[in-house]
């Protein structure tokens, strides 16, 4: 705060006439004395000197001349030269274009591995190949068969000639084993002989019942969802061995009479009719009307097959190995029975179970 001037009663000297002396006029602008620090606007960064790197800001306040530190905001930027002072860029200073390598062709997917195509099997108009000594010999003895081609090795041809004699309906074509194998599906155990024959005329269940006539004792095997050709062929073989008059199976998902089925049947295809039906329950009803007792083979049945003392006409019903008899098939059966199996493995293959059950029915009759 500015102090007041002293009053007239103070000890300030006065002029002789008693008036106060005049105060000297204060200049409007005071000239800057030499050596005084320049104002903020006059501060300019000094250019770098040649050969001496500019000091870098290390984050610490720089000391002032009076000893008190001050904060340096950062390294001052060097003065930018005028546009006219910049050296001109030569025309050839632009880097030459670099030659690029030609683009590589896009990768294509690796070709898929070739899968061996199945060997073509000569069927000659739908006629299946039959192979194996027993299957071929039984087919050659069947007067209802029509033959297309017979191939055999020298040893197999001689064996057939000794078995059939002059009654052979077709002369064999002698070939080696490898040539015969090329005509058959992969893995066929042909035993040196194969026969190309027309399929047999299909049987109807009504024809089987009519052919039975007045016979009181008869067994028909009914298969529920058994589709394996090896099992069906083995069941046909057991049916022929124990005197069953037919094997019945649903037409849906049932295999055809192929070489595999005929080989497993070992000639029984020529002796036991294989009947295909549309509805298994209706088939059981038709057999009941013809005087057959339908017996379903099930492992959970209370009584064994032998305890029922079955006689007369019997329809033996067997289910698949995995699921057994279906519910509607069980309900359509007159009774259920089981085999007297015991031990850690109480189940049997369906073809083995059929053979044991057919033996039991043949023994009881």
């Amino acid at each position: 705060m500015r102090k007041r001037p002293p009053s007239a009663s103070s000890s300030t000297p006065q002029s002789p006439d008693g008036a106060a002396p005049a105060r000297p006029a204060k200049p409007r602008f005071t000239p800057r004395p030499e050596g005084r620090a320049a104002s903020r606007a006059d501060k300019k960064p000094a250019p770098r000197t040649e050969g001496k790197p500019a000091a870098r800001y290390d984050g610490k306040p720089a000391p002032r001349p009076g000893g008190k530190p001050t904060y340096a905001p950062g390294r001052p930027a060097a003065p930018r030269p005028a546009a006219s002072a910049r050296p001109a860029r030569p025309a050839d200073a632009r880097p030459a274009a670099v030659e690029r390598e030609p683009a590589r062709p896009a990768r294509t997917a690796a070709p898929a591995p070739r899968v061996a195509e199945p060997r073509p099997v000569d069927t000659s108009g739908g006629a299946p190949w039959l192979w194996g000594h027993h299957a071929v010999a039984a087919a050659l003895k069947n007067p209802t068969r029509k033959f297309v081609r017979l191939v055999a090795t020298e040893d197999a041809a001689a064996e057939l000639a000794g078995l059939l004699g002059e009654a052979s309906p077709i002369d064999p074509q002698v070939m080696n084993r490898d040539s015969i194998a090329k005509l058959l599906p992969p893995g066929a155990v042909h035993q040196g002989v194969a026969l190309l024959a027309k399929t047999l005329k299909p049987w109807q269940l009504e024809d089987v019942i009519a052919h039975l006539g007045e016979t009181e004792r008869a067994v028909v095997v009914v298969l529920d969802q058994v589709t394996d050709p090896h099992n069906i062929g083995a069941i046909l073989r057991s049916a022929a061995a124990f005197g069953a008059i037919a094997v019945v199976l649903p037409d849906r998902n049932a295999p055809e009479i192929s070489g595999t089925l005929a080989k497993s049947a070992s000639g029984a295809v020529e002796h036991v009719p294989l009947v295909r039906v549309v509805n298994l329950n209706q088939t059981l009803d038709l057999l009941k009307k013809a005087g057959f007792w339908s017996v379903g083979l099930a492992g959970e049945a209370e009584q064994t097959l032998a305890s029922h003392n079955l006689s007369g006409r019997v329809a033996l019903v067997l289910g698949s190995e995995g699921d057994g008899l279906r519910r509607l098939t069980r309900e359509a059966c007159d009774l259920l029975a089981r085999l007297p199996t015991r031990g850690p493995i109480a189940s049997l293959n369906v073809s083995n179970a059929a053979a044991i059950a057919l033996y039991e029915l043949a023994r009881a009759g």
Side-chain angles (χ1 to χ4, degrees), residues 152-159 174-176 192:
T153 60
E154 292 184 3
D155 295 340
E159 186 177 352
V174 178
M175 304 175 64
N176 56 37

Side-chain angles (χ1 to χ4, degrees), residues 224-225 279-282 284-285 288 294 317 324-334 336:
D224 183 18
Q225 290 188 324
N279 191 297
L280 204 61
N281 294 339
Q282 295 179 1
L284 293 177
D285 292 339
K288 290 178 183 179
S294 58
V317 187
L325 296 174
R326 291 177 294 178
R327 181 182 60 84
L328 294 178
T329 306
R330 290 169 180 265
E331 295 176 356
C333 293
D334 294 321
L336 297 178

Side-chain angles (χ1 to χ4, degrees), residues 57-270:
Y57 171 62
D58 55 358
K60 298 180 180 181
R64 293 181 63 182
K68 294 183 180 180
T70 182
Y71 179 78
R75 187 179 65 182
R80 187 174 183 179
S84 59
R86 295 179 183 176
R89 185 176 184 179
D92 57 349
R94 185 174 299 175
V98 180
E99 295 184 1
R100 297 183 178 180
E101 296 181 0
R104 296 182 180 177
R107 292 186 178 180
T108 57
R114 296 184 60 184
V115 180
E117 298 181 358
R119 261 192 325 235
V121 179
D122 182 14
T123 57
S124 299
W129 278 100
L130 308 177
W131 56 85
H133 287 290
H134 296 288
V136 171
L140 291 174
K141 291 180 180 180
N142 189 354
T144 62
R145 281 280 193 180
K146 293 183 179 181
F147 310 107
V148 179
R149 186 182 180 187
L150 175 64
V151 294
T153 60
E154 292 184 3
D155 295 340
E159 186 177 352
L160 286 176
L163 182 63
L164 301 176
E166 297 181 356
S168 178
I170 186 173
D171 294 331
Q173 178 183 358
V174 178
M175 304 175 64
N176 56 37
R177 288 182 173 271
D178 294 338
S179 299
I180 296 175
K182 292 179 180 179
L183 299 174
L184 306 178
V189 183
H190 54 77
Q191 296 177 326
V193 61
L195 175 66
L196 188 63
K198 297 290 184 178
T199 57
L200 294 171
K201 181 181 178 180
W203 282 79
Q204 301 295 327
L205 185 60
E206 293 80 2
D207 298 335
V208 174
I209 295 175
H211 185 74
L212 186 60
E214 299 297 330
T215 306
E216 295 182 0
R217 179 66 181 174
V219 176
V220 174
V221 179
V222 181
L223 303 180
D224 183 18
Q225 290 188 324
V226 179
T227 59
D228 183 46
H230 295 88
N231 285 333
I232 296 176
I235 292 172
L236 280 170
R237 185 175 183 178
S238 299
F242 293 108
I245 62 172
V247 175
V248 181
L249 73 164
D251 187 54
R252 184 179 180 182
N253 298 329
E256 298 292 335
I257 300 179
S258 60
T260 301
L261 192 151
K263 178 70 167 54
S264 301
S266 190
V269 173
E270 314 297 330

